Amino acid sequence: MTDTPSVKRLAAATSAWRAAADDAAVRTRLAVQLSRRPDLADASHLPAIAAMIRDPEIDPAQFERAGWVALGPALPDPADPQAAALWLDRHDLAIALIEETQVADAAAERVLSAVRRWLLLDRKTGAFPRLAAALVRQAAINGGAWPFDAEERAALPATPDFLAAYLPAPPDAAGADFDAPVTRAVAAQYGRWPYPVWQRANAVTLRSLAETLRACGSDAPVLPDRPNILVAGCGTGREAMTLARLAPDATVTAIELSDTSLTVARARCAGQANLHLLRHDLHAVAELGQRFDYIVCSGVLHHLPDPEAGWAALVGVLAPRGAMQVALYSRIARLPVAAARMRLGALMREPVSDDLIRAARRQLIAAPVPSVTDSRDFFSTAGVHDLLFHVHEDCFDVPRIERAIDALGLKLLRFGLPTPEDAARYRELAPHDPLHRDVAAWHAYEMGHPSTFAGMYRMTLTRAS
């Protein structure tokens, strides 16, 4: 295997875990590295994954792909579902991955879908109660995303206890009473399909928010001792929870349009005393009557009717020496999404439902679109809706971002690169720019590596003066 920066980081984290498996920071560091590069996982990582998958202080999503990749050579053949069911039912780690994480691995989904079908049609759920219960739990996590055929649908009424492994109960969707049509439609979408999918966050943070800002350069703002922080568009609360733990002395206010998403967030974030969750429209953020030392807005602005106007509203409540982190869709990196939508054809014109999402997944599983069908969002109904069927999307490119930064009176402190390999390549392209502030170089890098920002552009900014 090539000795890349990611390989070195994962090897170091694995060695540290073997030496100090009880150290919470060591466990978290290894989990994070496996999450960032699940493709590097192998059988040598299975003991660590098995030890951490049910750890209440570790985010299990970090193993949703790495665990199955590490198990890969041992995975049973989906063509023999009975043997696969026997293997799964006896494999504690496989059961834990099914129960604790969204299964985000195509090979694992093929095996599990075949086993689910066999359990249903051959009426074997009673012989495999542990596995059947795990599959029910998995469907609750992924929203019933796995496609199934007409024979399975016809058999479901005869096995009511297993129905939820196919058709989990949908959330109680609350109404969306906002005046603006786009805002109302977005709120309704997340009312039915709360997003993102997650179970719990890491209890230990490896870098404080203050340290993150210091890495942006000597001219980066220094947060006050007890900063006031805003998460604008918190969804189901994952990012807000992480931020509240990154800055335990801060007061974190997280706002969201969807009552349903907030219900999930309140359940997931219960006990985090410095986090306050509110239903509130980003456009009216000034009505909160507060100034914020740090603002996070990730994956939200490009879903607004006027992204720059929403961005301006956030700048309006930014403290004079405050900082903000903004994440936006890249028009270039989203071209595979456009290709997937074209491939779906007439399905894109039908009303969105779970059945439609399953039909879309079936079609794309048969003809994969790289960076779409291997996205973690592809493995849940909420994720597919957000990825492919969102009611409104207005993507950015680097020139548009540069115009917005100038018009809003902001200064770029740093833009983020997703992997150490990207950072190394960028250094070769722009050795003059160690802080990643040269917008022209950033644009040039994306032109040469167009899939880099498939996970969004991420920027840290402050006021220009």
Side-chain angles (χ1 to χ4, degrees), residues 127-149:
F128 295 90
R130 183 187 190 208
L131 178 56
L135 290 170
V136 169
R137 171 62 185 153
Q138 175 59 212
I141 293 171
N142 69 39
W146 298 349
F148 56 90
D149 60 27

mmCIF file of all heavy atoms in Angstrom, residues 127-149:
data_model
loop_
_atom_site.group_PDB
_atom_site.id
_atom_site.type_symbol
_atom_site.label_atom_id
_atom_site.label_comp_id
_atom_site.label_asym_id
_atom_site.label_seq_id
_atom_site.Cartn_x
_atom_site.Cartn_y
_atom_site.Cartn_z
ATOM 1 N N ALA A 127 -36.622 -18.389 13.601
ATOM 2 C CA ALA A 127 -35.398 -19.162 13.808
ATOM 3 C C ALA A 127 -34.177 -18.267 13.996
ATOM 4 O O ALA A 127 -33.142 -18.742 14.477
ATOM 5 C CB ALA A 127 -35.171 -20.105 12.622
ATOM 6 N N PHE A 128 -34.312 -16.980 13.628
ATOM 7 C CA PHE A 128 -33.195 -16.035 13.727
ATOM 8 C C PHE A 128 -33.672 -14.739 14.395
ATOM 9 O O PHE A 128 -33.622 -13.665 13.788
ATOM 10 C CB PHE A 128 -32.625 -15.731 12.339
ATOM 11 C CG PHE A 128 -31.997 -16.903 11.653
ATOM 12 C CD1 PHE A 128 -32.757 -17.739 10.841
ATOM 13 C CD2 PHE A 128 -30.652 -17.170 11.813
ATOM 14 C CE1 PHE A 128 -32.173 -18.815 10.198
ATOM 15 C CE2 PHE A 128 -30.055 -18.256 11.173
ATOM 16 C CZ PHE A 128 -30.818 -19.086 10.366
ATOM 17 N N PRO A 129 -34.164 -14.842 15.634
ATOM 18 C CA PRO A 129 -34.747 -13.641 16.247
ATOM 19 C C PRO A 129 -33.736 -12.504 16.426
ATOM 20 O O PRO A 129 -34.094 -11.331 16.300
ATOM 21 C CB PRO A 129 -35.256 -14.159 17.596
ATOM 22 C CG PRO A 129 -34.470 -15.401 17.872
ATOM 23 C CD PRO A 129 -34.219 -16.021 16.524
ATOM 24 N N ARG A 130 -32.489 -12.836 16.730
ATOM 25 C CA ARG A 130 -31.475 -11.798 16.922
ATOM 26 C C ARG A 130 -31.217 -11.043 15.620
ATOM 27 O O ARG A 130 -31.181 -9.805 15.589
ATOM 28 C CB ARG A 130 -30.186 -12.451 17.416
ATOM 29 C CG ARG A 130 -29.042 -11.487 17.722
ATOM 30 C CD ARG A 130 -27.788 -12.271 18.020
ATOM 31 N NE ARG A 130 -26.728 -11.430 18.534
ATOM 32 C CZ ARG A 130 -25.442 -11.692 18.391
ATOM 33 N NH1 ARG A 130 -25.060 -12.782 17.735
ATOM 34 N NH2 ARG A 130 -24.536 -10.901 18.900
ATOM 35 N N LEU A 131 -31.046 -11.766 14.537
ATOM 36 C CA LEU A 131 -30.792 -11.151 13.239
ATOM 37 C C LEU A 131 -32.021 -10.378 12.758
ATOM 38 O O LEU A 131 -31.902 -9.261 12.236
ATOM 39 C CB LEU A 131 -30.402 -12.227 12.232
ATOM 40 C CG LEU A 131 -30.139 -11.777 10.794
ATOM 41 C CD1 LEU A 131 -29.075 -10.694 10.730
ATOM 42 C CD2 LEU A 131 -29.742 -12.976 9.933
ATOM 43 N N ALA A 132 -33.213 -10.954 12.939
ATOM 44 C CA ALA A 132 -34.440 -10.268 12.512
ATOM 45 C C ALA A 132 -34.604 -8.948 13.255
ATOM 46 O O ALA A 132 -34.943 -7.912 12.656
ATOM 47 C CB ALA A 132 -35.651 -11.165 12.741
ATOM 48 N N ALA A 133 -34.345 -8.956 14.557
ATOM 49 C CA ALA A 133 -34.464 -7.718 15.335
ATOM 50 C C ALA A 133 -33.431 -6.696 14.893
ATOM 51 O O ALA A 133 -33.716 -5.484 14.844
ATOM 52 C CB ALA A 133 -34.297 -8.018 16.826
ATOM 53 N N ALA A 134 -32.230 -7.140 14.547
ATOM 54 C CA ALA A 134 -31.194 -6.215 14.070
ATOM 55 C C ALA A 134 -31.615 -5.571 12.756
ATOM 56 O O ALA A 134 -31.393 -4.371 12.533
ATOM 57 C CB ALA A 134 -29.870 -6.955 13.907
ATOM 58 N N LEU A 135 -32.258 -6.342 11.872
ATOM 59 C CA LEU A 135 -32.702 -5.793 10.597
ATOM 60 C C LEU A 135 -33.846 -4.799 10.787
ATOM 61 O O LEU A 135 -33.948 -3.804 10.045
ATOM 62 C CB LEU A 135 -33.117 -6.925 9.654
ATOM 63 C CG LEU A 135 -31.946 -7.789 9.149
ATOM 64 C CD1 LEU A 135 -32.470 -9.016 8.423
ATOM 65 C CD2 LEU A 135 -31.021 -6.976 8.248
ATOM 66 N N VAL A 136 -34.697 -5.032 11.758
ATOM 67 C CA VAL A 136 -35.737 -4.050 12.092
ATOM 68 C C VAL A 136 -35.090 -2.752 12.558
ATOM 69 O O VAL A 136 -35.493 -1.653 12.156
ATOM 70 C CB VAL A 136 -36.692 -4.609 13.163
ATOM 71 C CG1 VAL A 136 -37.600 -3.510 13.712
ATOM 72 C CG2 VAL A 136 -37.536 -5.741 12.578
ATOM 73 N N ARG A 137 -34.087 -2.885 13.411
ATOM 74 C CA ARG A 137 -33.376 -1.696 13.892
ATOM 75 C C ARG A 137 -32.689 -0.965 12.735
ATOM 76 O O ARG A 137 -32.727 0.257 12.663
ATOM 77 C CB ARG A 137 -32.344 -2.124 14.950
ATOM 78 C CG ARG A 137 -31.392 -1.027 15.382
ATOM 79 C CD ARG A 137 -32.097 0.128 16.035
ATOM 80 N NE ARG A 137 -31.176 1.205 16.336
ATOM 81 C CZ ARG A 137 -31.515 2.479 16.416
ATOM 82 N NH1 ARG A 137 -32.783 2.853 16.228
ATOM 83 N NH2 ARG A 137 -30.625 3.400 16.698
ATOM 84 N N GLN A 138 -32.081 -1.703 11.821
ATOM 85 C CA GLN A 138 -31.399 -1.072 10.689
ATOM 86 C C GLN A 138 -32.381 -0.280 9.828
ATOM 87 O O GLN A 138 -32.083 0.843 9.401
ATOM 88 C CB GLN A 138 -30.695 -2.129 9.837
ATOM 89 C CG GLN A 138 -30.057 -1.598 8.558
ATOM 90 C CD GLN A 138 -29.023 -0.523 8.785
ATOM 91 O OE1 GLN A 138 -28.855 0.379 7.961
ATOM 92 N NE2 GLN A 138 -28.334 -0.554 9.924
ATOM 93 N N ALA A 139 -33.554 -0.823 9.595
ATOM 94 C CA ALA A 139 -34.556 -0.105 8.796
ATOM 95 C C ALA A 139 -34.986 1.188 9.478
ATOM 96 O O ALA A 139 -35.234 2.197 8.814
ATOM 97 C CB ALA A 139 -35.761 -0.994 8.533
ATOM 98 N N ALA A 140 -35.063 1.160 10.817
ATOM 99 C CA ALA A 140 -35.398 2.391 11.536
ATOM 100 C C ALA A 140 -34.310 3.448 11.335
ATOM 101 O O ALA A 140 -34.601 4.640 11.259
ATOM 102 C CB ALA A 140 -35.577 2.087 13.022
ATOM 103 N N ILE A 141 -33.065 3.003 11.250
ATOM 104 C CA ILE A 141 -31.961 3.944 11.044
ATOM 105 C C ILE A 141 -31.963 4.489 9.621
ATOM 106 O O ILE A 141 -31.848 5.706 9.408
ATOM 107 C CB ILE A 141 -30.611 3.261 11.363
ATOM 108 C CG1 ILE A 141 -30.516 2.935 12.856
ATOM 109 C CG2 ILE A 141 -29.433 4.151 10.938
ATOM 110 C CD1 ILE A 141 -29.309 2.078 13.223
ATOM 111 N N ASN A 142 -32.101 3.589 8.629
ATOM 112 C CA ASN A 142 -31.968 4.044 7.236
ATOM 113 C C ASN A 142 -33.282 4.473 6.601
ATOM 114 O O ASN A 142 -33.312 4.891 5.439
ATOM 115 C CB ASN A 142 -31.254 2.987 6.378
ATOM 116 C CG ASN A 142 -32.077 1.732 6.150
ATOM 117 O OD1 ASN A 142 -33.285 1.771 5.947
ATOM 118 N ND2 ASN A 142 -31.403 0.574 6.162
ATOM 119 N N GLY A 143 -34.367 4.407 7.368
ATOM 120 C CA GLY A 143 -35.656 4.869 6.857
ATOM 121 C C GLY A 143 -36.336 3.908 5.899
ATOM 122 O O GLY A 143 -37.292 4.288 5.214
ATOM 123 N N GLY A 144 -35.857 2.663 5.834
ATOM 124 C CA GLY A 144 -36.434 1.713 4.875
ATOM 125 C C GLY A 144 -35.912 1.926 3.476
ATOM 126 O O GLY A 144 -36.665 1.834 2.500
ATOM 127 N N ALA A 145 -34.608 2.187 3.353
ATOM 128 C CA ALA A 145 -34.031 2.573 2.066
ATOM 129 C C ALA A 145 -33.798 1.402 1.119
ATOM 130 O O ALA A 145 -33.706 1.604 -0.091
ATOM 131 C CB ALA A 145 -32.698 3.301 2.300
ATOM 132 N N TRP A 146 -33.706 0.174 1.632
ATOM 133 C CA TRP A 146 -33.335 -0.945 0.762
ATOM 134 C C TRP A 146 -34.496 -1.321 -0.160
ATOM 135 O O TRP A 146 -35.626 -1.559 0.297
ATOM 136 C CB TRP A 146 -32.951 -2.163 1.593
ATOM 137 C CG TRP A 146 -31.752 -1.944 2.468
ATOM 138 C CD1 TRP A 146 -30.893 -0.895 2.448
ATOM 139 C CD2 TRP A 146 -31.304 -2.801 3.511
ATOM 140 N NE1 TRP A 146 -29.927 -1.045 3.406
ATOM 141 C CE2 TRP A 146 -30.147 -2.198 4.081
ATOM 142 C CE3 TRP A 146 -31.751 -4.018 4.030
ATOM 143 C CZ2 TRP A 146 -29.441 -2.779 5.134
ATOM 144 C CZ3 TRP A 146 -31.059 -4.600 5.071
ATOM 145 C CH2 TRP A 146 -29.914 -3.993 5.610
ATOM 146 N N PRO A 147 -34.260 -1.409 -1.460
ATOM 147 C CA PRO A 147 -35.326 -1.821 -2.388
ATOM 148 C C PRO A 147 -35.775 -3.256 -2.125
ATOM 149 O O PRO A 147 -35.022 -4.076 -1.587
ATOM 150 C CB PRO A 147 -34.643 -1.718 -3.764
ATOM 151 C CG PRO A 147 -33.467 -0.813 -3.563
ATOM 152 C CD PRO A 147 -33.006 -1.063 -2.159
ATOM 153 N N PHE A 148 -37.008 -3.550 -2.509
ATOM 154 C CA PHE A 148 -37.524 -4.917 -2.422
ATOM 155 C C PHE A 148 -38.526 -5.124 -3.535
ATOM 156 O O PHE A 148 -39.006 -4.161 -4.153
ATOM 157 C CB PHE A 148 -38.113 -5.208 -1.041
ATOM 158 C CG PHE A 148 -39.201 -4.269 -0.593
ATOM 159 C CD1 PHE A 148 -40.533 -4.530 -0.872
ATOM 160 C CD2 PHE A 148 -38.888 -3.115 0.117
ATOM 161 C CE1 PHE A 148 -41.538 -3.680 -0.444
ATOM 162 C CE2 PHE A 148 -39.876 -2.246 0.544
ATOM 163 C CZ PHE A 148 -41.217 -2.519 0.273
ATOM 164 N N ASP A 149 -38.843 -6.374 -3.824
ATOM 165 C CA ASP A 149 -39.665 -6.665 -4.995
ATOM 166 C C ASP A 149 -41.127 -6.924 -4.614
ATOM 167 O O ASP A 149 -41.499 -6.922 -3.432
ATOM 168 C CB ASP A 149 -39.083 -7.843 -5.788
ATOM 169 C CG ASP A 149 -38.999 -9.137 -4.988
ATOM 170 O OD1 ASP A 149 -39.808 -9.324 -4.044
ATOM 171 O OD2 ASP A 149 -38.133 -9.980 -5.297
#
